[in-house]
Amino acid sequence: MRPSDRRLNALVRHLLVGDSNSSSSSSMGSITDSPASASDGRDSVFAHVVQAPEDPILGVTVAYLKDPSPIKLNLGVGAYRTEEGKPVVLNAVRKAEHQLVNDVSRVKEYLPIVGIAEFNKLSAKLILGADSPAIQQNRVTTVQCLSGTGSLRVGGEFLARHYHERSIYIPQPTWGNHIKVFALSGLTVKTYRYYDPATRGLNFQGLLEDLGSAPSGAIVLLHACAHNPTGVDPTLEQWEQIRQLIRSKALLPFFDSAYQGFASGSLDADAQPIRTFAADGGELLVAQSYAKNMGLYGERVGALSIVCKTADVAVRVESQLKLVIRPMYSNPPIHGASIVATILRDRNLYDEWTVELKAMADRIISMRQQLFDALQARGTPGDWSHIIKQIGMFTFTGLNAEQVAFMTGEYHIYMTSDGRISMAGLSTKTVPHLADAIHAAVTRVV
């Protein structure tokens, strides 16, 4: 086992159960009104439960909300914000909801286990392409899931039950929840090199070497676009080399598509890596989320598609996906998926959505340029070109944990300790404040 994988397994154990040698910082009292029992909790059947650590991403928002400073800035949350720093509901979404609310024929009955059939069909078409041979040949099964996280979990549990290889290779680094989702699904999580801190770009040679040494049949997690947390994506030429390597070793690609259309502003361009894999006739999985590209964060709308070799296999795979979903959450919620289906089926709403989607992507690209220009103007030491080379919602700044802590303490700027910032949390008004903080951190903190 590689040292990095041993560290990863130790991290998984810590994240899932906490530190067994630590004591809880708070106790759960009993349901009686006794002051003694309420304060000490030793008679609770849960007295042995230790205080779990805050989620490293969501914990940033908790700390931000407690800060009374008027200049505080939250760059940890992975959600789009307007130039005014406000959440946004897309016009296309509001119009779709208006249609749904005013449709008196709609009821609140349970959905089938796999969700809304039209939503599934349109989701597969959106990610794989309208002319996808796999769709035309009925080799794709799609099930509605609870956003991207739920799609990954359902896919992970299906693979743990029915696939011959239990190892999944994830990029280093990756979205922190990937580790926990796949470990709890029953898979063994391993890593492959992805990010090069020296260049703040892709470690392509390391990626090829690690996947080249993976056992035949291993599962490989791939970010479809706008890699989280680094914002570093392979070029189309590099994607082709990755595809050839994966197919030559009979590895199984599992794509996480959380940002289709949100990275470049083009739904087709951001889905191109997935479509290239699907076009070669091989099998793959893809988890879709509509949190970012439709702004449906709290609606928890997603889909899992599995491209199979034959239509008959796809039918049997779907039957087993139902057995994964049924004891997990029985069936998915109706409202968010209905919004998505309404927009994807209606040409006018679809066109309006794509315009709004491109505007969001363009604003993030503009924030990248403005931050880069501000750092250049201040003469901030170092090469900051990676800010405009990276893509998507996040930028991996290269700042270390001490510099991040300094920026939080001195400038009230909140981000994850690895230096990842959400470009969507910036505005023209706040870019100078962030640039000042980065300049100070780089020049004053080693």
Side-chain angles (χ1 to χ4, degrees), residues 252-394:
L252 180 63
F254 192 158
F255 282 94
D256 185 357
S257 179
Y259 302 98
Q260 185 186 3
F262 205 83
S264 68
S266 167
L267 290 159
D268 292 329
D270 289 349
Q272 191 56 43
I274 297 173
R275 294 177 185 180
T276 301
F277 274 78
D280 67 13
E283 295 177 298
L284 62 93
L285 294 84
V286 55
Q288 279 173 274
S289 168
Y290 290 97
K292 272 70 175 183
N293 60 16
M294 282 197 187
L296 295 173
Y297 304 95
E299 297 289 356
R300 313 308 295 144
V301 192
L304 172 70
S305 291
I306 302 182
V307 178
C308 305
K309 278 288 188 180
T310 68
D312 178 61
V313 171
V315 170
R316 284 182 277 134
V317 165
E318 181 172 301
S319 72
Q320 291 296 333
L321 288 173
K322 291 178 183 178
L323 297 186
V324 173
I325 293 169
R326 176 61 171 155
M328 189 184 295
Y329 55 87
S330 193
N331 42 40
I334 191 170
H335 185 67
S338 296
I339 295 172
V340 173
T342 301
I343 292 173
L344 295 184
R345 91 162 76 95
D346 186 303
R347 173 50 61 179
N348 291 330
L349 287 178
Y350 180 88
D351 289 344
E352 184 169 5
W353 170 52
T354 58
V355 170
E356 292 184 281
L357 179 56
K358 188 174 189 308
M360 289 192 291
D362 286 349
R363 197 186 85 76
I364 291 175
I365 293 170
S366 172
M367 290 301 102
R368 290 184 177 277
Q369 188 66 53
Q370 288 184 41
L371 179 58
F372 172 75
D373 291 344
L375 292 171
Q376 290 289 96
R378 285 159 176 74
T380 305
D383 179 6
W384 298 93
S385 61
H386 60 282
I387 291 175
I388 50 179
K389 291 177 182 176
Q390 294 170 6
I391 191 170
M393 178 175 284
F394 300 108

Side-chain angles (χ1 to χ4, degrees), residues 23-81:
S23 61
S24 175
S25 61
S26 64
S27 301
M28 291 187 64
S30 70
I31 60 173
T32 69
D33 292 329
S34 167
S37 62
S39 63
D40 103 7
R42 282 177 294 179
D43 58 341
S44 170
V45 296
F46 304 115
H48 64 286
V49 175
V50 300
Q51 181 71 31
E54 286 278 8
D55 181 275
I57 297 175
L58 300 182
V60 172
T61 298
V62 173
Y64 166 81
L65 292 174
K66 292 180 180 178
D67 188 342
S69 173
I71 61 169
K72 65 181 180 180
L73 181 60
N74 186 2
L75 299 179
V77 63
Y80 183 80
R81 295 291 182 262

